[in-house]
Amino acid sequence: MHPAFSVILLTTLIGAAQGLFLALFTAQSYAAFKLLPQPDAHAFYGQGSLLALVLLVAGLGASFFHLGHPERAWRSAAMWRTSWLSREVIVLPAFMGVVFLYGLAHWLNWHPVLTTLPGELPVDPTAILGVAGTLFAFALFICTAMIYACLKFLSEWHSPLTVINYILLGGASGFTLAAAFASVTAPELVSFLAGWAAIITLLGWIGRSASLYRNARLKPKSSLQTAIGIKHPRIVQKTQGFMGGSFNTREFFHGQPVAVLRAVKWFFVLAVFPLPLLLLLSGMQGRTGLLVAAFAVQYAGLLAERWFFFAQANHPQNLYYQSIA
Amino acid sequence: MCPPAQVVTYLMQSIKTPSPSIQEVKNTTCYMCACRCGIRVHLRDGVVRYIDGNPDHPLNKGVICAKGSSGIMKQYSPARLLKPLKRKAGAERGAGDFEEISWDEAFATLAERLGKIRATDPKKFALFTGRDQMQALTGMFARQFGTPNYAAHGGFCSVNMAAGMIYTIGGSFWEFGGPDLDRAKLFVMIGTAEDHHSNPLKIALSKFKRDGGRFISINPVRTGYSAIADEWVPIRPGTDGALLLAIIHEIIATGLYDRDFLVKYSNAGQLINVSETNDEFGFFVRTEVPTEEACYEPQDKLWWDRNTDHAVVTHTAGADPYLLGEFKLQDGTPVKPAFQLLQERVKDYTPEWASQITGIPVEVIRQLAHEMGVTARDQKIELPIAWTDSWGNEHDTVTGNPVAFHAMRGLAAHSNGFQTIRALAILMSLLGTIDRPGGFRHKAPFPRPIPPCARTPNDPRAVQPNHPLDGMVLGWPSDPDDLFVNDDGSPVRLDKAFSWEYPLSVHGLMHNAITNAWRGDPYRIDTLLIFMANMSWNSTMNTAEVRQMLNDKDTEGPNAGEFKIPFLVVCDAFHSEMTAFADLILPDTTYLERHDVMSMLDRPISEFDGPVDSVRIPVVPVSGDCKPFQEVLIEIGTRLKLPAFVTKEGVRKFRDYPDFIINYETEPGSGIGFLAGWRGKGGEKFLRGEPNPNQWEMYAKNNCVFHYELPKSYQYMRNWNKGYLEWSQRNRITRYAEPILIHIYSEVLQRFRSAAQGKGLTRKPPEHLKKRIDTYFDPLPFYYDSLEAQVTDKHKYPLAAVTQRPMAMYHSWDSQNAWLRQIHTHNYLYVNTRTALQQGIADGDWIWVESQWGKVRCMARHSEAVEPGTVWTWNAIGKAAGAWNLTPDANESQKGFLLNHLISEELPGANGRISNSDPITGQAAWYDVRVRIYKVGAGETAVGVQNTSPQFEPMKPYPGMKTRSSILAFLGVKAK
Amino acid sequence: MTQLALVIDLNVCVGCQACVTSCKEWNTAGSAGPMVDQNPYGADPTGTFFNRVQTFEVGEFPNTETVHFPKSCLHCEDPPCVPVCPTGASYKRKEDGIVLVDYDKCIGCKYCSWACPYGARELDEQQQVMKKCTLCVDRIYDTSMTEDDRKPSCVKACPTSARLFGDIHDPQSAVSIAIRESGGYPLMPEWGTHPANHYLPRRKTRIKIHEDELERADNPLKVDRQLPRPAMNEPTLDDVTTW
């Protein structure tokens, strides 16, 4: 597939935002159980939510560049019964709304105790919004990932690993960002967040390696034989019917030599996993510079990862568009 | 299917309904290629919206091809020339520096210049036209002007096919006849990628296959029609003659020929004088029978009757001639039947021999012969159609031997093509398939006598100042005395047609006109008028040098500083490589803007069942200052006061072209004009009749086509069908109603050979051409290596290089078409995968292709569908940079290439250079070129953008042309 | 229920591209248009086409088949492009099974094209909406046209009538009969899309000639004494054996 920059930005930015939100609410939950010190809610949760929101808006903004008719984007909520894209379009703003309210509640220090759960756990609006946000964050991960995973023709994507990796990679980048953010706004949480970031990054490494392993061994289900319905071991396309290119030659192929593909793969494998891990571990003590670097490196790596995710997917339609003459 | 008919608007609920507008449908005839289908042009608010096939048209029955469907893009192309232009003073030819002028100025210039030429030496005006569908008018104009220097593109296209078959069976493929696939059981197509009769052939081919017919394609390349063949027989280019002769060998050896057919309908049984010392050696022995002086052959030849064992007059009732054997006439003259000589000729042409030459396995050659022979013999068709033959015998049925053939330039465009095609026509005759169901069928006005009656003058004094040429500009020589030569035997015509160099060059040699004029051999001319031919690009051999010649000036003498070809006029509808060299450009209209006739005097669109002619009627107004070429000719003819165009008093006869078409008669009162339909005062007559003032309207009402269906009994066996021939004579399609016997043995050729041997009373060839005539004018087909191969080191140049036109571009003349060019934007050289790998050439590599005449750089493509000793490419996809108003970086010029650079228009001969053409017909030998291929050097590829070589200075648009847009959203809802 | 479709006969397709440009011509000026062409007179011209004819070489020289292969939207019975569309712009008509795009609803997200294994959809680069073959829905029901004209433009144009059009759910239709009797098959059956369009394979006609069919009593060479009986005085076994 041709990696569209708008989609790369969308998925990586909102992934980080979702992860960041999950990190915020994880910290809040731990704090509620007194497992962590209570940070400055205003700064950490409020500004943190704002940061997540900024990423979400940026991602959403980027996604509009992918549309031929962004002014009609509102229509895209219509088919939620069948279309994961439609579901994503619904869940994303819903999630943004919750993040906004969550941040607002923290910002305004709005903590009326609505009810108390067993174990003296007071439930305030931020807790409810946090739980809702968490659900939406996961729902969004699933929607986004399922947009790709549901396409059975694209076997590189058509796997539970796609969903798992979207969650793990979004989570990793979000927690890394949270750690870097906490080093400024809530230093007491840095090691906790960096620790989780490292763990999720490690899990992501495993998940992504699994999908790389799987994809390297995929046997395409379609062949020229099934594409044109002729049984013969040697079929070669001589003409695709046009010579100056078409949507079919632009949209479904990355247009890069294999060497570039390989280089991008190695770059992202390094930049998304071991390098951020090293930086996280060395920045565990709250060294903002290292933690920011960890996020920057990981995010850059994720851009490459997402590029590779698209580029690696070999669409069966390409069987029909191989040769000009 | 048929879902319930519903209201359109209901279905448009999600698709925008077109805004209400004025919609019209007008019928006319397509001219996106030579096929000439009936089309319906749908207009919206006066703009062409959609063109589809006319279902009521006999030719295409509603279908249309890729080109026809892209006519809109031709009509609105930015390559169109919209103003008369003249070369700016001092500008070089080819530079494309022009200024707009008025038609008045253009006509005045032409009339003055041509008037002077006509008053002094009409030969100094030459008119060559790329299209031959307007020949009746262009040829007539040339004749009226008085110049012999006229031809259409047939000479460089496929004259071998026309001549080879017409000199043998009195008809040919193309517009003149074709395979009857409706009833054929076996169809053998040789060397054909596309066809003049494009859509009808496609219609027929699919029907044929669906009816269970067997289709064999013999072709070095498997594309187009060959793709759907049941069997593909790859053959080395130019060796078809060897294959056909070996098949004839096998068919005779196994007795699979139709003896009865040969006896009755060919000269196979006629006796030939075989006394080598006799002046009459090689001629049929004749007896006295009463005949009139005519171009047809009198029936005065002899058979050796099996019943009486005596010589009898041919076709004597009750007689049955021996086809084989040797006999002695009463006067002791040894004679043999023509068929005996054929058997002797093919004796050594065994399948084993042919296999070595053609690359086809021996068993495949045998199998081909057996399939043809057994199908012809065992699957006979009997149609209950009674007819009477020329000898008065009545037949209850028409018999058919259902083996059909088709061949085209693959056979023709070789310097051995004429004899190859003779072999094909003879093979078709041996199988008994001529004008019979399931075989080859003629189309009116064919069959013609062998050769047809038209003759050129045979005397240089036929060219006189201020007089029309005394004879036809093109004709059909039947013996050396018909040649158009000077008293010393040198050619009268600029292109040397009808001279001893190419005696039967019945379509002229357009491909040598420029070189000859430039060199002044046989003489220099003053004005060259080219209509619709790209003689500085794909229509010429040796392109780069011919471009030089067009721009070459005298360096000394009285005309120092003047162009060697002093005045060059080009009429075309489009910007092209050729127009750049013009001194004067006359912008032609498109086919949708003008009246036209597909005339019986020219190449009509006749069907097997009878004559058909058709017209074009304008469907949109003329663009810019364009003018149809016909109007131009009539205007100049009138200004020059050519007798056909003015009254005795010198007053204009015809208002315009439509008026000319209605009122022109070949002779005053002849009743024969350009159109055969709705003649007579009220349109009640056909073929012959007085001019009908409403003729155009009647064509318009009848789908622009006139179709006369012959009675069934006149539809077959027309060479010898008394009823048909007399009908044809009554309607002045032919002058004589005599039977047209198939020339298994060609006495016409023997006449030339005999003259070369110094025998007889006819003219004799000049010394230096005697051997050439003696060698090639063999009355029986024979195989020889092409002339180019004879002067080529085949080890150095091991590959044959040929071209084809893709279906989506065949005869389309406008590669700038925005839709068609997306399909074929540039071209590759196709090389058999193994051949390429032997040279280390990978798929897509840049390579050099080199012949002994030049080289081109291009990209290679591997292919399994090409014979290993052949490389090929699509022709005329490659363009000069900027030509046809494409951008200078367009793929056509940067990745496309032209094979013509590798082909020479001349070959070294014993006595100077001679045209690279068939020595009999002057057919351009396009497909004889031999090449080698190799990868471009490492250094060459590393730098910069890769492009094909050679490249030329980019052309620019001319004044008055529209600018090309970078985005087209044609005719739809207004683009956002 | 009706399912309109094309049945494409590879046995007679000569690759002439008539269907390609007649489709372009009808649709660019019709209700599906305009179909943009970019760089129409420049380098790498590209445009929106609903139908393409491709060429494949099957086998190795000399046993090569050249296969011309026209391809447009297959109007799947279970079209994967439809459910993924977030706006409902892509839809399959209940009444005749044609898969269409509502240009007014399309947001140009290209997701449907990703979901089509056949590459049948093309984004119009100018209008930025997804386009595809409509089976000439604006022709086939247009009662102002004659019955004969109410066919997709490509079907009408095709000189070899390699394109049949009709209802594949009607067992008596020409298309159903062709599929049944001439071995019609769908493309990429492995994806379960159930394309409505089918293809008919190449079919070969062969002639079998037995050795003894060549030699026959009516061989014309006999008439001309070319298959003569041996002369009486030529040697035979009678001359050398006594038994």
Side-chain angles (χ1 to χ4, degrees):
Chain A
M1 299 292 292
H2 172 73
F5 215 62
S6 51
V7 180
I8 294 175
L9 278 176
L10 164 75
T11 56
T12 52
L13 286 171
I14 67 171
Q18 289 159 261
L20 174 58
F21 178 84
L22 291 174
L24 296 181
F25 188 62
T26 308
Q28 184 183 343
S29 309
Y30 272 70
F33 286 102
K34 310 277 189 284
L35 299 171
L36 276 180
Q38 197 60 254
D40 174 354
H42 186 83
F44 184 65
Y45 299 121
Q47 290 174 19
S49 301
L50 183 66
L51 181 56
L53 213 50
V54 167
L55 293 176
L56 288 167
V57 170
L60 186 62
S63 76
F64 277 86
F65 287 98
H66 186 64
L67 300 184
H69 281 280
E71 79 284 1
R72 297 181 189 159
W74 59 272
R75 287 183 174 276
S76 56
M79 302 304 286
W80 56 272
R81 281 190 192 81
T82 59
S83 171
W84 283 105
L85 179 52
S86 197
R87 290 168 195 158
E88 184 195 40
V89 165
I90 294 168
V91 175
L92 177 58
F95 176 62
M96 287 167 80
V98 174
V99 172
F100 173 74
L101 293 176
Y102 175 81
L104 190 69
H106 276 298
W107 189 270
L108 300 174
N109 269 320
W110 193 47
H111 296 296
V113 175
L114 302 173
T115 177
T116 309
L117 291 180
E120 301 284 298
L121 269 182
V123 176
D124 67 3
T126 62
I128 292 173
L129 287 167
V131 170
T134 303
L135 291 174
F136 277 121
F138 276 98
L140 186 53
F141 273 131
I142 291 169
C143 289
T144 309
M146 280 308 289
I147 287 173
Y148 308 102
C150 79
L151 297 174
K152 56 184 169 184
F153 323 116
L154 283 155
S155 26
E156 289 84 352
W157 294 352
H158 187 54
S159 152
L161 283 172
T162 300
V163 182
I164 292 168
N165 286 333
Y166 264 76
I167 295 172
L168 291 175
L169 297 182
S173 61
F175 272 79
T176 307
L177 178 58
F181 178 68
S183 73
V184 182
T185 54
E188 62 277 23
L189 301 183
V190 170
S191 54
F192 169 79
L193 290 167
W196 270 114
I199 291 168
I200 302 172
T201 299
L202 207 58
L203 290 172
W205 198 350
I206 296 167
R208 196 63 178 96
S209 300
S211 81
L212 284 176
Y213 179 85
R214 169 183 178 272
N215 290 353
R217 277 150 193 81
L218 283 175
K219 288 239 158 46
K221 216 168 164 182
S222 292
S223 61
L224 265 184
Q225 285 71 17
T226 68
I228 65 171
I230 291 175
K231 234 183 140 40
H232 195 290
R234 192 190 182 285
I235 302 178
V236 180
Q237 184 176 56
K238 284 294 135 184
T239 74
Q240 56 189 6
F242 51 86
M243 298 177 84
S246 76
F247 176 73
N248 301 87
T249 58
R250 293 186 289 266
E251 180 70 8
F252 299 90
F253 186 62
H254 49 77
Q256 298 296 331
V258 185
V260 172
L261 214 64
R262 201 173 295 135
V264 170
K265 183 173 82 178
W266 284 115
F267 170 74
F268 94 70
V269 168
L270 284 173
V272 178
F273 308 112
L275 287 179
L277 272 175
L278 276 177
L279 291 163
L280 280 168
L281 295 177
S282 24
M284 198 74 103
Q285 307 315 315
R287 290 166 65 187
T288 309
L290 287 174
L291 293 171
V292 169
F295 175 72
V297 168
Q298 193 168 43
Y299 185 74
L302 281 176
L303 290 178
E305 186 274 339
R306 217 41 52 94
W307 187 93
F308 184 83
F309 173 78
F310 285 101
Q312 196 194 22
N314 186 16
H315 201 287
Q317 79 106 40
N318 290 344
L319 288 168
Y320 295 107
Y321 301 96
Q322 301 189 24
S323 179
I324 62 170
Chain B
M1 68 112 210
C2 247
Q6 292 161 71
V7 205
V8 189
T9 45
Y10 157 67
L11 293 139
M12 297 292 161
Q13 48 189 295
S14 60
I15 290 190
K16 285 186 209 93
T17 320
S19 53
S21 50
I22 300 157
Q23 312 245 11
E24 287 175 277
V25 183
K26 294 183 180 174
N27 285 344
T28 186
T29 302
C30 190
Y31 198 29
M32 290 299 284
C33 73
C35 184
R36 298 164 292 167
C37 297
I39 51 170
R40 302 188 299 195
V41 181
H42 302 245
L43 299 138
R44 188 194 291 160
D45 299 330
V47 178
V48 184
R49 173 198 189 276
Y50 181 60
I51 299 172
D52 61 355
N54 183 349
D56 300 320
H57 198 278
L59 197 85
N60 56 313
K61 302 176 177 76
V63 308
I64 192 165
C65 74
K67 296 158 291 176
S69 298
S70 304
I72 297 175
M73 289 291 116
K74 179 178 203 142
Q75 178 64 22
Y76 301 112
S77 162
R80 288 202 56 186
L81 302 168
L82 298 171
K83 300 278 180 193
L85 300 167
K86 82 172 178 197
R87 185 169 50 83
K88 278 191 183 154
E92 290 297 298
R93 281 187 186 157
D97 287 323
F98 291 101
E99 57 188 315
E100 288 181 35
I101 57 166
S102 66
W103 274 106
D104 274 347
E105 187 183 339
F107 281 133
T109 308
L110 279 170
E112 194 202 329
R113 188 146 196 143
L114 296 184
K116 271 189 202 150
I117 297 173
R118 188 163 190 260
T120 50
D121 185 359
K123 282 205 305 290
K124 298 219 172 268
F125 169 63
L127 164 58
F128 286 90
T129 117
R131 301 270 64 82
D132 40 18
Q133 322 257 337
M134 211 192 277
Q135 267 187 97
L137 177 63
T138 50
M140 171 198 149
F141 179 88
R143 184 180 177 182
Q144 288 281 317
F145 186 91
T147 181
N149 291 322
Y150 163 84
H153 89 290
F156 71 68
C157 183
S158 207
V159 62
N160 267 343
M161 186 51 73
M165 286 187 70
I166 289 172
Y167 273 98
T168 307
I169 61 169
S172 179
F173 292 121
W174 314 86
E175 286 88 344
F176 316 136
D180 177 16
L181 294 185
D182 232 19
R183 295 187 192 272
K185 299 275 197 292
L186 175 64
F187 176 46
V188 183
M189 181 179 263
I190 315 176
T192 307
E194 241 287 21
D195 192 67
H196 273 207
H197 217 44
S198 155
N199 281 330
L201 187 60
K202 289 181 205 132
I203 295 170
L205 203 51
S206 79
K207 250 187 108 234
F208 172 77
K209 280 207 75 180
R210 287 195 170 130
D211 291 346
R214 176 160 160 83
F215 172 20
I216 297 174
S217 167
I218 300 169
N219 198 316
V221 182
R222 186 168 204 178
T223 56
Y225 300 138
S226 299
I228 61 167
D230 294 300
E231 184 170 342
W232 172 46
V233 180
I235 184 170
R236 295 187 188 131
T239 66
D240 312 84
L243 172 68
L244 292 165
L245 288 164
I247 292 174
I248 292 174
H249 168 103
E250 186 69 12
I251 283 191
I252 294 180
T254 47
L256 283 169
Y257 54 92
D258 187 336
R259 185 181 190 280
D260 188 48
F261 182 84
L262 290 172
V263 165
K264 285 185 186 143
Y265 305 122
S266 81
N267 64 15
Q270 295 180 354
L271 301 175
I272 293 160
N273 185 327
V274 293
S275 164
E276 287 192 38
T277 52
N278 197 309
D279 249 15
E280 292 294 305
F281 172 74
F283 290 105
F284 288 108
V285 286
R286 289 174 158 80
T287 182
E288 291 294 321
V289 295
T291 54
E292 52 179 313
E293 182 67 23
C295 72
Y296 72 84
E297 289 181 288
Q299 297 183 57
D300 55 358
K301 305 185 186 80
L302 301 180
W303 280 349
W304 197 275
D305 183 22
R306 291 200 310 137
N307 304 325
T308 58
D309 210 16
H310 273 92
V312 296
V313 175
T314 178
H315 290 86
T316 299
D320 181 17
Y322 276 114
L323 290 187
L324 294 166
E326 188 173 358
F327 311 94
K328 262 204 170 56
L329 296 183
Q330 270 177 342
D331 64 2
T333 312
V335 293
K336 286 181 184 176
F339 194 73
Q340 171 68 34
L341 295 178
L342 179 67
Q343 191 196 39
E344 290 170 16
R345 166 55 49 86
V346 299
K347 186 164 166 282
D348 295 331
Y349 290 144
T350 59
E352 287 76 11
W353 164 83
S355 179
Q356 297 295 316
I357 295 168
T358 59
I360 302 171
V362 175
E363 56 275 18
V364 174
I365 298 175
R366 288 227 160 80
Q367 169 222 321
L368 287 171
H370 297 168
E371 284 197 22
M372 292 170 191
V374 169
T375 307
R377 182 191 68 192
D378 291 352
Q379 304 213 37
K380 278 204 188 314
I381 297 167
E382 293 284 345
L383 299 181
I385 298 170
W387 65 288
T388 308
D389 70 27
S390 289
W391 301 274
N393 305 310
E394 292 185 2
H395 303 259
D396 292 337
T397 58
V398 166
T399 309
N401 299 348
V403 180
F405 290 81
H406 192 51
M408 298 252 307
R409 283 181 70 184
L411 290 200
H414 294 285
S415 53
N416 59 13
F418 179 85
Q419 290 290 8
T420 297
I421 286 158
R422 280 260 304 143
L424 172 64
I426 287 169
L427 171 61
M428 289 160 60
S429 305
L430 294 188
L431 295 167
T433 64
I434 307 302
D435 211 33
R436 284 174 135 187
F440 170 86
R441 306 258 324 260
H442 290 298
K443 295 175 189 170
F446 286 84
R448 318 292 304 159
I450 301 172
C453 298
R455 298 280 184 277
T456 65
N458 60 359
D459 187 315
R461 285 157 285 267
V463 183
Q464 294 294 338
N466 283 327
H467 273 84
L469 186 72
D470 187 13
M472 303 291 287
V473 276
L474 297 170
W476 299 83
S478 70
D479 65 42
D481 289 337
D482 287 336
L483 293 180
F484 199 4
V485 288
N486 294 306
D487 298 341
D488 63 355
S490 63
V492 173
R493 284 174 58 110
L494 173 65
D495 61 2
K496 306 191 187 180
F498 308 106
S499 76
W500 287 102
E501 289 186 22
Y502 329 95
L504 306 187
S505 44
V506 297
H507 290 171
L509 285 91
M510 186 170 180
H511 48 296
N512 285 102
I514 291 170
T515 307
N516 292 359
W518 167 79
R519 190 180 286 139
D521 171 21
Y523 47 80
R524 299 276 282 268
I525 58 166
D526 178 85
T527 295
L528 175 60
L529 170 54
I530 298 275
F531 172 56
M532 247 178 124
N534 207 349
M535 297 306 290
S536 66
W537 199 251
N538 53 286
S539 293
T540 199
M541 296 164 150
N542 193 11
T543 305
E545 278 179 53
V546 167
R547 289 163 68 97
Q548 282 297 322
M549 292 173 194
L550 289 171
N551 202 20
D552 205 10
K553 292 178 182 139
D554 275 329
T555 49
E556 50 195 51
N559 300 320
E562 298 277 319
F563 287 111
K564 291 196 169 181
I565 300 172
F567 198 58
L568 187 51
V569 187
V570 177
C571 181
D572 207 317
F574 296 101
H575 184 275
S576 68
E577 290 87 347
M578 186 64 209
T579 51
F581 289 86
D583 298 307
L584 182 63
I585 296 179
L586 309 173
D588 196 13
T589 59
T590 65
Y591 68 111
L592 297 177
E593 296 172 347
R594 69 163 171 233
H595 289 90
D596 247 334
V597 293
M598 275 47 76
S599 166
M600 207 59 70
L601 308 183
D602 198 334
R603 294 187 175 190
I605 56 166
S606 295
E607 297 280 319
F608 297 147
D609 63 14
V612 187
D613 69 9
S614 60
V615 301
R616 254 171 226 123
I617 297 178
V619 297
V620 288
V622 169
S623 305
D625 277 347
C626 295
K627 211 177 262 301
F629 187 52
Q630 301 102 320
E631 300 282 4
V632 172
L633 286 183
I634 289 169
E635 180 63 32
I636 300 173
T638 307
R639 288 190 188 215
L640 293 175
K641 301 201 187 303
L642 305 185
F645 300 104
V646 291
T647 62
K648 283 205 183 75
E649 297 73 37
V651 179
R652 171 188 280 270
K653 265 196 207 161
F654 307 108
R655 192 175 59 246
D656 52 16
Y657 179 68
D659 187 44
F660 168 81
I661 290 298
I662 288 174
N663 291 307
Y664 173 79
E665 291 178 277
T666 52
E667 319 259 326
S670 72
I672 302 175
F674 276 72
L675 291 175
W678 297 284
R679 299 196 69 84
K681 292 216 168 60
E684 70 287 353
K685 298 182 182 169
F686 60 89
L687 297 170
R688 270 185 93 185
E690 313 78 66
N692 165 13
N694 295 315
Q695 200 176 19
W696 284 103
E697 287 74 15
M698 292 181 172
Y699 269 90
K701 258 186 248 155
N702 288 280
N703 295 303
C704 294
V705 61
F706 166 74
H707 181 184
Y708 179 82
E709 204 180 316
L710 291 164
K712 283 262 185 263
S713 61
Y714 292 1
Q715 287 185 13
Y716 297 94
M717 305 297 282
R718 278 165 285 193
N719 291 48
W720 326 274
N721 184 323
K722 193 178 168 75
Y724 170 77
L725 289 166
E726 284 173 359
W727 174 88
S728 167
Q729 186 183 36
R730 272 200 307 283
N731 288 291
R732 309 313 289 152
I733 290 174
T734 185
R735 177 156 296 141
Y736 305 103
E738 305 304 316
I740 303 159
L741 284 189
I742 293 167
H743 285 203
I744 299 291
Y745 184 90
S746 174
E747 203 177 41
V748 173
L749 297 182
Q750 177 61 28
R751 286 184 196 126
F752 286 88
R753 169 177 265 190
S754 182
Q757 291 168 348
K759 294 177 186 165
L761 300 174
T762 61
R763 286 170 173 163
K764 303 293 181 293
E767 200 56 41
H768 70 280
L769 292 167
K770 275 187 176 160
K771 183 155 177 281
R772 181 172 154 109
I773 299 278
D774 188 27
T775 306
Y776 297 111
F777 277 74
D778 194 312
L780 286 165
F782 74 112
Y783 178 74
Y784 56 95
D785 228 1
S786 73
L787 301 191
E788 173 149 356
Q790 292 177 22
V791 297
T792 306
D793 177 349
K794 286 205 244 177
H795 292 289
K796 189 168 177 201
Y797 300 101
L799 301 169
V802 297
T803 62
Q804 304 188 5
R805 279 294 264 164
M807 287 192 182
M809 291 276 191
Y810 183 86
H811 264 173
S812 65
W813 313 312
D814 46 347
S815 311
Q816 86 287 359
N817 190 299
W819 294 344
L820 299 177
R821 73 178 287 259
Q822 288 186 53
I823 300 168
H824 297 286
T825 316
H826 62 95
N827 53 325
Y828 291 91
L829 190 80
Y830 287 92
V831 187
N832 182 289
T833 312
R834 267 150 287 170
T835 309
L837 292 176
Q838 275 165 18
Q839 299 286 315
I841 295 168
D843 196 31
D845 269 356
W846 284 91
I847 59 166
W848 284 106
V849 193
E850 189 184 308
S851 75
Q852 55 185 326
W853 321 112
K855 60 181 198 170
V856 296
R857 183 174 59 218
C858 62
M859 282 184 282
R861 268 255 175 281
H862 289 183
S863 172
E864 294 294 329
V866 55
E867 187 276 318
T870 307
V871 294
W872 74 277
T873 188
W874 295 125
N875 188 31
I877 299 298
K879 298 270 146 207
W884 303 85
N885 208 5
L886 300 178
T887 60
D889 66 344
N891 312 52
E892 281 84 347
S893 60
Q894 299 309 300
K895 290 181 174 172
F897 69 100
L898 201 59
L899 207 70
N900 303 40
H901 296 298
L902 303 181
I903 304 171
S904 176
E905 84 279 35
E906 294 184 318
L907 295 174
N911 298 78
R913 304 184 66 80
I914 197 152
S915 174
N916 180 12
S917 297
D918 189 293
I920 299 167
T921 60
Q923 152 90 50
W926 293 101
Y927 298 158
D928 283 351
V929 72
R930 301 199 61 95
V931 301
R932 64 195 187 108
I933 55 173
Y934 50 93
K935 266 177 93 152
V936 292
E940 291 175 274
T941 58
V943 266
V945 184
Q946 291 183 330
N947 59 8
T948 48
S949 171
Q951 289 285 328
F952 298 88
E953 189 65 28
M955 294 173 62
K956 48 197 176 193
Y958 308 151
M961 292 172 64
K962 286 186 288 183
T963 49
R964 55 183 171 240
S965 50
S966 60
I967 191 154
L968 269 186
F970 187 70
L971 275 183
V973 193
K974 262 267 178 309
K976 287 205 179 75
Chain C
M1 218 177 65
T2 305
Q3 173 64 61
L4 296 181
L6 298 172
V7 171
I8 293 164
D9 190 351
L10 300 183
N11 192 39
V12 295
C13 176
V14 293
C16 76
Q17 311 269 351
C19 52
V20 173
T21 58
S22 63
C23 162
K24 173 88 174 185
E25 182 194 35
W26 172 258
N27 284 298
T28 195
S31 44
M35 287 153 65
V36 72
D37 296 294
Q38 294 169 298
N39 307 328
Y41 305 106
D44 299 331
T46 175
T48 307
F49 283 76
F50 293 168
N51 182 32
R52 310 275 193 180
V53 176
Q54 313 187 317
T55 305
F56 295 86
E57 282 180 9
V58 178
E60 280 176 39
F61 181 87
N63 302 309
T64 317
E65 292 281 336
T66 302
V67 177
H68 298 298
F69 181 82
K71 180 172 71 74
S72 51
C73 171
L74 306 166
H75 298 277
C76 297
E77 305 220 32
D78 195 358
C81 54
V82 167
V84 301
C85 174
T87 67
S90 274
Y91 64 105
K92 184 171 177 70
R93 286 155 52 103
K94 286 207 173 61
E95 59 272 37
D96 56 16
I98 301 179
V99 177
L100 288 179
V101 180
D102 182 340
Y103 296 171
D104 289 336
K105 282 190 191 162
C106 177
I107 57 171
C109 71
K110 308 173 204 162
Y111 192 32
C112 54
S113 71
W114 296 8
C116 169
Y118 306 104
R121 292 173 165 247
E122 295 202 19
L123 185 85
D124 188 290
E125 300 283 1
Q126 188 186 42
Q127 288 179 305
Q128 285 295 323
V129 293
M130 196 53 76
K131 295 192 171 177
K132 59 177 285 303
C133 162
T134 68
L135 276 183
C136 284
V137 69
D138 52 350
R139 291 187 66 88
I140 59 178
Y141 296 109
D142 186 342
T143 46
S144 69
M145 290 184 184
T146 64
E147 179 80 35
D148 253 9
D149 277 340
R150 273 180 255 157
K151 287 177 195 157
S153 192
C154 59
V155 174
K156 257 178 54 68
C158 180
T160 60
S161 58
R163 306 174 75 89
L164 315 177
F165 171 64
D167 176 11
I168 57 161
H169 284 180
D170 170 5
Q172 296 313 314
S173 68
V175 281
S176 294
I177 292 169
I179 293 170
R180 218 161 48 231
E181 296 181 357
S182 303
Y185 64 87
L187 304 183
M188 292 187 182
E190 62 273 21
W191 298 119
T193 55
H194 304 290
N197 284 9
H198 282 67
Y199 286 77
L200 306 181
R202 283 275 167 83
R203 300 176 288 282
K204 296 268 182 200
T205 304
R206 293 192 174 78
I207 294 181
K208 168 81 186 145
I209 297 172
H210 296 92
E211 201 61 28
D212 52 6
E213 284 168 0
L214 288 177
E215 189 58 48
R216 279 216 332 208
D218 61 356
N219 190 321
L221 290 170
K222 284 190 180 149
V223 180
D224 288 304
R225 302 180 291 200
Q226 291 275 307
L227 294 175
R229 285 193 218 126
M232 290 304 287
N233 55 1
E234 281 181 39
T236 70
L237 285 185
D238 293 326
D239 304 324
V240 291
T241 54
T242 49
W243 293 288

